[in-house]
Amino acid sequence: MKQEIPIWEKANLTLEEAATYTGIGINTLRDLTNEKKYNFVLFVGTKRLIKRKLFEKFLESTYVI
């Protein structure tokens, strides 16, 4: 039996989950995560995850994306 963890409790989010959580489009998230300068991206093989807590801090200090 697979247990669902609420998005706000997950350590890492898929692009789809991050888009749902933040209201930012998947294409914008993909563009952001292509940039090497951000530390909120985690690649697991070819899978791209967003480190939720670091991404929240990034969003708090960002005016325009």
Side-chain angles (χ1 to χ4, degrees), residues 4-32:
E4 283 293 317
I5 299 169
I7 288 177
W8 58 88
E9 290 184 6
K10 288 186 173 187
N12 301 302
L13 305 174
T14 64
L15 291 179
E16 292 80 9
E17 289 171 334
T20 300
Y21 186 63
T22 63
I24 299 170
I26 290 176
N27 291 333
T28 301
L29 290 171
R30 188 170 285 113
D31 290 343
L32 274 175

Side-chain angles (χ1 to χ4, degrees), residues 28-48:
T28 301
L29 290 171
R30 188 170 285 113
D31 290 343
L32 274 175
T33 56
N34 282 336
E35 308 248 353
K36 303 250 189 265
K37 63 182 178 182
Y38 298 122
N39 65 345
F40 55 79
V41 185
L42 173 66
F43 284 95
V44 180
T46 58
K47 188 175 185 176
R48 186 183 320 217

Side-chain angles (χ1 to χ4, degrees), residues 22 24 32 54-63 65:
T22 63
I24 299 170
L32 274 175
L54 289 176
F55 191 54
E56 287 173 348
K57 287 181 182 178
F58 165 77
L59 289 177
E60 286 174 10
S61 64
T62 302
Y63 179 68
I65 296 179

